[in-house]
Amino acid sequence: MKNLPLIAFVLFVFFSCQQKQEKVINSNQLSPEEKIDSTKIKTLFNSVLTEGKSYEWLKGLTQNIGGRLSGSPEAQLAVEWGEKLMKEVGLDSVWLQPVMVPHWVRGEKEIATYTTNGVQKNVPICALGFSIATPKTGVLAEVIEVKSLDEAKALGDKMKGKIVFFNRPFDDTLINTFSAYGGCVDQRVRGAAVCSEFGAKGVIVRSMTNSIDDYPHTGTMIYGEDLPKEKYIPGAAISSKAANILSDDLKKNPNLKFYFKQSCKTLPDAPSFNVVGEIKGSETPENIFVVGGHLDSWDLGEGAHDDGTGVVQSLEVAYLFKKNNIKPKNTIRVVFFMNEENGTRGAKKYAELAKLNKENHIGGLESDAGGHTPRGFSIDANDMNTALLQSWKKLLAPYGLHDLDKGGSGADINPLKGENVTLVGYRPDSQRYFDYHHTSRDTFDKVNKRELELGSASMASIVYLMDKYLYQNETVKP
Amino acid sequence: MKNLPLIAFVLFVFFSCQQKQEKVINSNQLSPEEKIDSTKIKTLFNSVLTEGKSYEWLKGLTQNIGGRLSGSPEAQLAVEWGEKLMKEVGLDSVWLQPVMVPHWVRGEKEIATYTTNGVQKNVPICALGFSIATPKTGVLAEVIEVKSLDEAKALGDKMKGKIVFFNRPFDDTLINTFSAYGGCVDQRVRGAAVCSEFGAKGVIVRSMTNSIDDYPHTGTMIYGEDLPKEKYIPGAAISSKAANILSDDLKKNPNLKFYFKQSCKTLPDAPSFNVVGEIKGSETPENIFVVGGHLDSWDLGEGAHDDGTGVVQSLEVAYLFKKNNIKPKNTIRVVFFMNEENGTRGAKKYAELAKLNKENHIGGLESDAGGHTPRGFSIDANDMNTALLQSWKKLLAPYGLHDLDKGGSGADINPLKGENVTLVGYRPDSQRYFDYHHTSRDTFDKVNKRELELGSASMASIVYLMDKYLYQNETVKP
C-alpha cells in the first residue's frame, strides 16, 4: 500500500508510545513447579476477567438490599441472600451460625445548626453507632474545640455544659490512608466516653476522611462498661468541610451556640447469623483455611466497599476454584461474618465455635479494605511462613501485587490467631477508600468491575498457593 | 481508667487489624547519598499532599474551559490559561511556540438507529476524528460485521454499498488495559480507510473500552494521504453495549438496515501553540529535561484524565521544585503540547525547533496515561541509564512505584528520542482509564485529588533523581 509510511507512523504512536507492555514472567527464571503455579494463577485471572460473578453479586447485595446494620431487617435479608448464593455456587456444604448481635438504630435524620454573625448554618452530621439520642428538644451549647483525647481530658470541668468538638484531621502525608485513619479514630471511638466523665453535654467529631466534603462518616463509638448509663452523652460525626468552617467560625465567635438533635437508640440484642460454606479438602479436610469478609454494613450507604466487595470476592475465590477444577488439599471455608462494624460478635462466635469443635484452622484471608485495584497482602504469620509467602512475589507481581509486608490481617479472622496460623489481609489501593467509608456515598457505582475482579483473582491466587505449600513440613503443622 | 481492657480491645481492632503499616525504608539499607535522596523525595510527597495545586488547576481547566480540541476556541483559551498559570508559578521564562494544527469539528449531535423485529433502536454513536460527514440525509445500508482489518479486506467487493461494523472487543484478560487498547485500535484508526477502497458506504467501530456501557468513544482515524478524497467514507464509534446488541440482532436478522448521520468536517489548519516554561539549570543550563502532557483534548468530555491530569502534574513538578527550593542542575522545561489527539503537530514542532536551535535534550518525562493511583514509570533509554533508573526502585517503592520496566514513553516526547536521551512515561494504574477515555465521561469528578497529587510527586521525584544522576559520566553526555 502506498501510504505505508503514514500507517507506520500511526501504528507507532498507538502501539509503541502509549502502550505499556503487558508484564509477563520470564519463565526461564521459574522452577518447573513455579511454572505450574504461574500458569494456574494466570488461569484464575483469565477466568475472573471473562466469567467473573462478583460484580453482579455485589449489585444484588448493594442495590436490592442496601445498607444492612446488625439487627436490621436488611441484615437478615443479606443472610438469606448469602446462604442462597453459596448454595448456587455449589459449595459442598452451607450453613448458618447463630449469633446474638447488638441492635442500634439511627432513628430520624439528624439535625445540626448554629448561627454566627447573623447567618444560620445547617451542618451535615450523623449519629455515631451506639450513641444515645439527644433530649427530644436537642442539645444547645457552646463549643470547645480540641484536637485529641488528652487535650479534652486536660480541660476537665471546663467542658461542663459544653459540646466538645474533636477536630484532629487525617495526616494527609501518610501514603496509606489506613494509617491516617488509625491516627484519628480514637476521637470517634472514645471521645464521648472521655467527655461523659466531665459533664459535657455532647461531642461532635470530625469525619474520618482525607477528603474535604459534605458527607458525615458514621462509625462505632464505645462508652465503656464502667461508665454509668446516666452519664452517657450523645456523639455525632460532622462532615470535614463543616468541621473546617465551624473551626473558623469559633475563632471569630468563640461563644457561638451549636445545636444538634438525634433520636438513635440501642435496642436489645437481636438474633443473627454468620453465613458459612466450604469446599471440602481432598487430602487433609480436617485442616481449614478461612476466606471471608463481613456481611453487615453501616446504614447510610449501600455497604459497597465496606464490605460488600470483601463478601463477594471471598465467595468468588470458591467459585474460581470450582470453575477451574482446582481441588484444594485442605478445606476452604468461605465465611460472611456478621457484625464487624459494631461489635465483631460474628468473629468472636466463629472463633468460639472453632475452639469448641476442636477445628484445626491453618490460616485465613480477609478482604475488608475496599474493592479498589490490588496492591498486595498484609501477612500476620510466623517468620517461616511469612518468608514462604514473600517468596511468591515473582508469581504475584505481574498482577500488581507487590506489597507482601508483615502486618495485621483483619478484625474478623484475627481471633483465630496462633503461632502456626497464617493470617493474611487483602490490601487494595487505599487512596479512595475514605472518600466513601461509612457514608451515604459507599454505593455500588463507586466500585469498578475490573478492580473488584482482579481482587478476587488475587485472593484466589494466594489461597491456591497457601493451600498447596503451607504446612507441608509436618513439624510445623498447627 | 477502669475500662482499660475494653479500650485496649477497641484500639487493637482499629490499629492492629485494619491498619496497614505505613511503608518506610530501613535507612540502614541506604547509602549516605541515598538517605539524602530519600528525605528529599519524602519532602516532595509531603509537600504535594499538604499544599498541592494540581487539583485546583485541573478544576479550572476542565470545568471553566472543558473539552478543547485542536483549533477550537476552547483550545485557545487553554493556551492562555496555561501561559498565565506558568507565569503565576514563577517559572524563569514562559513562552508560546506557534504551530499550525488540524481543525476538525464535530457539527451536530450524531444520530443512529435501526429497526429489527418491528422495534426501533436508537444507537449511541459519535463521529471519529477526521471522519467526513454522511450525506445530509444520512447513510442507510445493510451491515457486515467483522472482527479485524484483515477480515474486512478479505470481504473485498462484498462490502460494496454496505456499512462495515468492526466489532473486535478488548481482550479483558490483559491486565494492563493499554495493551488491550493497542490490540484493538487499528479498527478505529484504519477501518474507514480500508473499507473506502472497496466501496463501503461507511464504517461503525466498537468503542475502545473494557466497559460495557452506553458511551461512545471518539478518537482519531486516518484515511491516508494516497486515498483520493472522493473515496472517503464516514466513520463512527458505537458504544460497547450497543455493539453487543447490534451483533446479536444481526445474527437474528442479517438484512437489517442501519442508519446513521453525522455532519462533521475538517476545516483548514488553524494557528495554535505549545505552551513552554522553564526553570533554568544552575550548573549545566544548556542541558534540557522536558516534562509534559498535552493541552488539547477530545471535545466530548472535559479532557480530565486525557490529559488535563498530565498537564497539571507536569506543572506541579516545577511548582514542587520551587516550593521546596530544589535548584536543578539542568534546565527543567515544562511543555503543554498542542494537538496530541489528532496529529501530534505540537510534538513535531517542539522537536523541530529543538533541532533547529541545537538544543541539548538529555531526557523527558510524559504523563498521558490518566490521573489514577501511581504504579511506576516506563523507561525508553539506553541500557546503562535504564539500569540507573531501575536502581532507584527502593527509593520509589514506598510510594507504590514498583513498575520500572523498559517500554515506550509517550507520543509527545517520543520525537526527542536518541541513543543518549532518557525518555520516561509516567504509568498510573490503568484499570479505570478506558471507562472514560475519549468520552463524555472524562470529567473532573472522575479524578481523585490524592491520586492526582501522588502522581505529581512521583514525577517530581524521578525528575529530581534524573536531574541529579543522569550524565554525570562525561563519556555518555548526549
Side-chain angles (χ1 to χ4, degrees):
Chain A
M1 290 174 90
K2 280 187 288 180
N3 47 17
L4 196 66
L6 182 63
I7 299 171
F9 168 74
V10 170
L11 296 185
F12 177 74
V13 168
F14 285 105
F15 292 82
S16 145
C17 301
Q18 286 205 312
Q19 190 193 144
K20 186 174 118 182
Q21 291 301 314
E22 187 74 1
K23 293 170 85 76
V24 285
I25 303 181
N26 179 349
S27 64
N28 294 333
Q29 295 168 350
L30 299 181
S31 71
E33 205 56 34
E34 284 172 338
K35 280 183 196 169
I36 293 171
D37 295 336
S38 172
T39 303
K40 194 67 82 177
I41 289 170
K42 182 67 186 148
T43 302
L44 290 167
F45 275 89
N46 286 356
S47 181
V48 84
L49 290 168
T50 54
E51 48 193 7
K53 293 288 185 194
S54 51
Y55 193 67
E56 181 190 306
W57 293 340
L58 183 67
K59 189 173 183 183
L61 178 62
T62 54
Q63 297 199 326
N64 296 342
I65 299 175
R68 44 198 181 278
L69 193 55
S70 293
S72 68
E74 291 82 6
Q76 179 54 28
L77 288 174
V79 166
E80 292 161 17
W81 168 92
E83 186 184 19
K84 181 163 176 281
L85 202 57
M86 281 193 188
K87 287 178 177 168
E88 280 172 18
V89 168
L91 299 191
D92 296 330
S93 45
V94 176
W95 67 97
L96 301 181
Q97 285 183 339
V99 57
M100 294 301 289
V101 295
H103 189 190
W104 177 85
V105 293
R106 182 172 303 281
E108 287 164 29
K109 175 109 187 72
E110 304 85 344
I111 297 170
T113 183
Y114 63 93
T115 300
T116 186
N117 264 346
V119 180
Q120 191 193 325
K121 302 191 178 182
N122 293 321
V123 182
I125 66 156
C126 65
L128 294 175
F130 289 130
S131 175
I132 60 165
T134 57
K136 281 194 177 153
T137 52
V139 167
L140 178 69
E142 287 184 0
V143 177
I144 307 184
E145 178 179 341
V146 296
K147 293 287 171 67
S148 69
L149 297 178
D150 283 343
E151 203 183 321
K153 284 176 199 159
L155 285 175
D157 292 338
K158 283 183 197 158
M159 69 171 78
K160 202 172 171 113
K162 305 276 173 73
I163 292 169
V164 179
F165 168 33
F166 287 92
N167 194 29
R168 181 164 84 262
F170 269 29
D171 178 351
D172 286 329
T173 67
L174 295 170
I175 303 301
N176 189 305
T177 61
F178 283 89
S179 303
Y181 180 63
C184 282
V185 73
D186 62 332
Q187 302 174 96
R188 187 194 78 203
V189 176
R190 296 292 303 159
V194 162
C195 297
S196 293
E197 310 243 16
F198 300 104
K201 283 179 97 172
V203 301
I204 48 178
V205 182
R206 182 188 182 92
S207 283
M208 297 293 131
T209 180
N210 295 96
S211 173
I212 304 300
D213 61 38
D214 294 319
Y215 300 92
H217 293 230
T218 190
T220 208
M221 52 165 273
I222 293 181
Y223 291 113
E225 287 162 11
D226 297 318
L227 186 74
K229 282 205 165 50
E230 63 274 15
K231 280 196 158 187
Y232 284 13
I233 59 171
I238 173 172
S239 79
S240 56
K241 193 191 272 184
N244 286 352
I245 294 170
L246 176 59
S247 182
D248 284 348
D249 285 339
L250 284 169
K251 287 184 188 76
K252 295 173 217 152
N253 182 4
N255 302 114
L256 68 82
K257 289 195 169 182
F258 190 93
Y259 172 82
F260 76 111
K261 180 169 170 249
Q262 55 193 32
S263 58
C264 45
K265 60 182 165 187
T266 303
L267 303 173
D269 283 0
S272 189
F273 303 93
N274 292 326
V275 185
V276 189
E278 66 183 26
I279 301 177
K280 206 78 180 168
S282 61
E283 293 181 21
T284 47
E286 69 280 11
N287 290 348
I288 298 166
F289 189 92
V290 171
V291 186
H294 66 85
L295 195 50
D296 63 307
S297 81
W298 283 103
D299 54 330
L300 295 176
E302 297 172 356
H305 280 289
D306 188 12
D307 181 29
T309 52
V311 161
V312 298
Q313 287 173 327
S314 296
L315 183 57
E316 195 151 65
V317 171
Y319 165 81
L320 290 172
F321 270 49
K322 289 191 71 71
K323 191 94 190 168
N324 294 289
N325 205 26
I326 297 174
K327 296 188 193 309
K329 296 194 305 184
N330 307 292
T331 292
I332 306 294
R333 189 178 282 175
V334 179
V335 184
F336 297 170
F337 292 95
M338 182 51 68
N339 184 232
E340 190 274 346
E341 291 295 1
N342 55 345
T344 58
R345 295 274 187 90
K348 287 171 200 152
K349 175 59 74 177
Y350 182 85
E352 180 193 313
L353 289 173
K355 196 171 176 185
L356 194 71
N357 298 327
K358 296 193 170 50
E359 288 178 347
N360 189 33
H361 280 77
I362 62 170
L365 168 61
E366 180 166 333
S367 172
D368 185 19
H372 293 104
T373 197
R375 287 288 193 176
F377 299 96
S378 174
I379 306 166
D380 187 2
N382 62 38
D383 288 347
M384 198 184 73
N385 287 336
T386 301
L388 175 66
L389 267 67
Q390 289 174 338
S391 76
W392 301 330
K393 202 162 196 169
K394 63 184 158 194
L395 297 170
L396 300 172
Y399 305 96
L401 299 161
H402 297 275
D403 296 344
L404 290 170
D405 304 305
K406 263 193 176 275
S409 58
D412 281 318
I413 61 173
N414 196 67
L416 300 170
K417 193 164 169 153
E419 173 56 20
N420 290 320
V421 183
T422 300
L423 300 179
V424 176
Y426 171 56
R427 293 292 175 258
D429 194 85
S430 76
Q431 298 310 322
R432 292 169 182 245
Y433 187 64
F434 291 98
D435 290 1
Y436 314 132
H437 184 247
H438 296 186
T439 72
S440 60
R441 298 187 71 209
D442 185 12
T443 48
F444 178 67
D445 59 299
K446 306 304 186 308
V447 179
N448 176 279
K449 183 171 183 284
R450 283 178 61 86
E451 293 186 351
L452 178 73
E453 291 172 346
L454 289 170
S456 298
S458 300
M459 290 168 61
S461 298
I462 204 160
V463 172
Y464 161 80
L465 292 167
M466 290 171 82
D467 175 67
K468 184 169 172 184
Y469 293 110
L470 271 184
Y471 310 113
Q472 288 189 317
N473 184 343
E474 286 298 313
T475 61
V476 295
K477 213 156 186 169
Chain B
M1 287 174 91
K2 278 186 287 176
N3 47 17
L4 194 63
L6 182 64
I7 300 171
F9 169 74
V10 170
L11 296 185
F12 177 73
V13 169
F14 285 104
F15 291 82
S16 147
C17 300
Q18 286 204 314
Q19 190 193 144
K20 185 174 118 184
Q21 292 299 317
E22 187 75 0
K23 294 169 84 77
V24 284
I25 304 181
N26 179 348
S27 63
N28 293 334
Q29 295 168 349
L30 300 181
S31 70
E33 206 56 33
E34 285 172 337
K35 281 183 197 171
I36 293 171
D37 295 336
S38 172
T39 303
K40 195 66 83 178
I41 289 170
K42 181 68 186 148
T43 301
L44 289 167
F45 276 90
N46 286 356
S47 180
V48 84
L49 289 168
T50 53
E51 49 193 5
K53 295 287 185 194
S54 51
Y55 193 67
E56 180 191 306
W57 293 339
L58 183 66
K59 188 172 184 184
L61 178 62
T62 55
Q63 298 199 327
N64 296 343
I65 299 173
R68 45 199 179 276
L69 193 55
S70 293
S72 68
E74 291 82 5
Q76 179 54 29
L77 288 174
V79 166
E80 292 161 17
W81 168 91
E83 186 184 19
K84 181 164 176 278
L85 203 56
M86 282 193 188
K87 287 179 177 167
E88 280 173 17
V89 168
L91 299 191
D92 296 332
S93 44
V94 175
W95 68 99
L96 300 181
Q97 283 183 340
V99 57
M100 292 302 288
V101 295
H103 189 191
W104 178 84
V105 293
R106 183 171 301 281
E108 286 164 30
K109 176 109 186 73
E110 305 85 344
I111 296 169
T113 184
Y114 64 93
T115 299
T116 186
N117 265 345
V119 180
Q120 190 194 326
K121 302 191 179 183
N122 293 321
V123 181
I125 66 156
C126 65
L128 293 175
F130 290 130
S131 174
I132 60 165
T134 58
K136 281 197 178 150
T137 52
V139 168
L140 178 70
E142 287 183 0
V143 177
I144 308 184
E145 178 178 342
V146 296
K147 293 287 171 67
S148 67
L149 296 178
D150 283 344
E151 203 183 320
K153 284 176 200 159
L155 284 175
D157 290 340
K158 283 184 198 156
M159 70 172 78
K160 204 173 168 108
K162 306 275 174 75
I163 291 170
V164 179
F165 168 32
F166 287 91
N167 194 28
R168 182 165 84 261
F170 269 29
D171 179 352
D172 286 329
T173 68
L174 295 171
I175 303 300
N176 189 306
T177 61
F178 282 89
S179 302
Y181 179 65
C184 282
V185 74
D186 63 332
Q187 301 174 98
R188 188 194 77 203
V189 176
R190 295 292 303 158
V194 162
C195 298
S196 293
E197 309 244 16
F198 300 103
K201 283 179 96 171
V203 301
I204 49 177
V205 182
R206 183 189 182 92
S207 283
M208 298 292 131
T209 179
N210 296 95
S211 174
I212 305 300
D213 61 38
D214 295 319
Y215 301 91
H217 294 229
T218 190
T220 206
M221 53 166 272
I222 293 180
Y223 291 112
E225 285 163 12
D226 298 317
L227 186 75
K229 282 205 165 51
E230 61 275 16
K231 282 196 156 187
Y232 285 12
I233 60 171
I238 173 174
S239 80
S240 55
K241 191 191 271 182
N244 286 352
I245 294 170
L246 177 59
S247 183
D248 284 348
D249 286 339
L250 284 169
K251 286 183 188 77
K252 295 172 216 152
N253 182 5
N255 302 115
L256 69 80
K257 290 196 169 179
F258 190 94
Y259 172 81
F260 76 110
K261 180 171 171 247
Q262 55 193 31
S263 57
C264 44
K265 61 182 163 185
T266 302
L267 303 173
D269 284 358
S272 189
F273 304 93
N274 292 325
V275 185
V276 188
E278 65 182 27
I279 301 176
K280 206 80 181 166
S282 60
E283 293 181 21
T284 48
E286 69 281 9
N287 290 349
I288 298 166
F289 190 93
V290 171
V291 185
H294 65 85
L295 194 52
D296 63 307
S297 80
W298 284 102
D299 54 330
L300 295 176
E302 297 173 356
H305 279 290
D306 188 11
D307 183 28
T309 53
V311 161
V312 297
Q313 286 172 327
S314 296
L315 183 56
E316 194 151 65
V317 170
Y319 165 80
L320 289 172
F321 269 50
K322 289 192 70 75
K323 191 93 189 168
N324 294 288
N325 206 26
I326 297 174
K327 297 189 192 309
K329 294 193 306 185
N330 307 291
T331 292
I332 306 295
R333 188 178 283 176
V334 179
V335 184
F336 297 168
F337 291 95
M338 182 51 67
N339 183 231
E340 190 274 346
E341 292 294 0
N342 54 346
T344 57
R345 295 273 188 89
K348 289 170 199 153
K349 177 59 74 178
Y350 182 85
E352 178 193 316
L353 289 173
K355 196 170 174 185
L356 194 72
N357 298 328
K358 299 192 168 52
E359 289 177 346
N360 189 35
H361 280 77
I362 60 171
L365 167 62
E366 180 166 334
S367 172
D368 185 19
H372 293 104
T373 197
R375 287 286 192 178
F377 299 95
S378 175
I379 306 166
D380 188 1
N382 62 37
D383 289 347
M384 197 184 74
N385 287 336
T386 301
L388 175 66
L389 267 66
Q390 290 174 337
S391 75
W392 301 330
K393 204 163 196 167
K394 63 184 159 193
L395 296 171
L396 300 172
Y399 306 97
L401 299 161
H402 297 276
D403 296 345
L404 289 170
D405 304 306
K406 261 193 177 275
S409 57
D412 281 317
I413 61 172
N414 196 66
L416 299 170
K417 194 164 166 149
E419 173 55 22
N420 290 321
V421 183
T422 300
L423 300 180
V424 177
Y426 170 56
R427 292 294 175 254
D429 194 85
S430 76
Q431 299 310 323
R432 293 171 181 243
Y433 187 64
F434 291 97
D435 291 0
Y436 314 131
H437 183 246
H438 295 187
T439 74
S440 60
R441 298 186 72 210
D442 186 12
T443 48
F444 178 67
D445 59 299
K446 305 305 186 307
V447 179
N448 176 279
K449 183 171 184 284
R450 283 178 62 85
E451 293 185 351
L452 178 73
E453 291 171 346
L454 290 169
S456 298
S458 300
M459 290 168 61
S461 298
I462 204 159
V463 173
Y464 161 79
L465 292 167
M466 290 171 83
D467 176 68
K468 183 168 172 183
Y469 293 110
L470 273 183
Y471 310 111
Q472 288 190 317
N473 183 343
E474 285 299 313
T475 61
V476 296
K477 212 155 186 171

